[in-house]
Amino acid sequence: MPREADPEPCEERVAPRFTLLIRAAKLIAPGGEFICVIRDVSESGISLRGFHTLPEGGPQWLELQTGERHEIEPVWSRGLEGGYRFVNAVEVAALVAEAGRFPKRQLRLNIAFPIELALIGGRFRAQVVNLSQQGARITCNALLAIDQPVRLCSGILPEVRARVRWRRDVEYGLVFDDTFSLSQLAVFAVGAQAPELLEAPVCGATQRR
């Protein structure tokens, strides 16, 4: 009899799986917050693809664009992809339909790094508090006006032109003139938090049980 092909590691398909085309999500790990894409999901687990090597260590959480969070544990990794099991039971239909307590919105990463804010009148030190494809929340001691044009300069981002959307004490909300792609945001985020994950991933499958 011909020898049967070995199954792929950790690919138990007991529960029915739903294949998703591209569903952006946020992977929260001890090393920071990272952009990923959901590939498929079942009641027992989920597979993710990153724009870089996915972080290791725990605990880890998957946050959807509705704000819903699910605790997950790494099971296997292969290049930029990884398989995870849910720590607690999930309602798969609601996850696939992106049904949650809050409306779906752009992913916002809670990462912090220093920048210089360039505007008419000089340059000022500031700090990015969180970042999305469309804008950022910063802290800055300079007094900025609503709709004031500014430029963000740092070693993490390319020079970004933006406008002040809102202010609250020393906090400001900025909207970018040109939005980032999801992959650009992912690379900026990992560069600010864990640049070692940008190194080439190891080929082959690694079991983490």
Side-chain angles (χ1 to χ4, degrees):
M1 294 179 61
R3 182 176 179 273
E4 293 184 359
D6 293 332
E8 291 192 10
C10 307
E11 285 285 344
E12 300 92 342
R13 296 295 175 98
V14 177
R17 302 185 76 89
F18 295 83
T19 299
L20 306 175
L21 296 179
I22 295 180
R23 188 67 55 85
K26 181 166 69 171
L27 183 61
I28 303 171
E33 299 189 352
F34 307 93
I35 297 291
C36 62
V37 174
I38 299 174
R39 300 300 298 270
D40 56 53
V41 61
S42 72
E43 290 182 354
S44 58
I46 195 165
S47 66
L48 307 175
R49 181 177 178 85
F51 296 90
H52 47 75
T53 303
L54 294 171
E56 298 185 356
Q60 294 193 18
W61 298 80
L62 182 72
E63 183 175 305
L64 308 178
Q65 289 180 270
T66 57
E68 297 290 321
R69 283 190 181 185
H70 302 282
E71 188 174 2
I72 56 177
E73 294 178 337
V75 176
W76 59 266
S77 67
R78 184 170 55 247
L80 302 180
E81 298 184 1
Y84 301 79
R85 65 167 60 93
F86 292 113
V87 173
N88 302 302
V90 300
E91 199 172 326
V92 175
L95 192 155
V96 172
E98 296 183 299
R101 294 170 295 171
F102 307 105
K104 180 180 175 180
R105 66 173 188 173
Q106 289 282 336
L107 292 170
R108 187 168 290 274
L109 300 174
N110 295 305
I111 57 178
F113 55 91
I115 59 170
E116 271 198 335
L117 210 59
L119 56 144
I120 297 175
R123 299 170 76 97
F124 301 89
R125 292 182 180 179
Q127 181 92 355
V128 167
V129 177
N130 63 37
L131 184 69
S132 72
Q133 291 176 255
Q134 299 175 334
R137 178 159 60 95
I138 68 168
T139 58
C140 182
N141 289 324
L143 182 60
L144 307 178
I146 302 299
D147 287 332
Q148 181 171 355
V150 297
R151 288 182 291 119
L152 284 68
C153 307
S154 75
I156 302 297
L157 304 174
E159 184 175 293
V160 183
R161 296 181 180 273
R163 288 184 178 273
V164 177
R165 174 63 60 85
W166 58 264
R167 69 185 179 199
R168 184 169 54 244
D169 296 326
V170 297
E171 286 193 337
Y172 294 90
L174 306 181
V175 58
F176 300 146
D177 289 354
D178 298 305
T179 59
F180 294 130
S181 68
L182 194 65
S183 60
Q184 286 176 319
L185 179 63
V187 171
F188 297 151
V190 74
Q193 301 171 107
E196 67 277 7
L197 295 179
L198 288 171
E199 297 176 2
V202 177
C203 296
T206 302
Q207 298 189 32
R208 295 179 179 170
R209 287 180 171 174

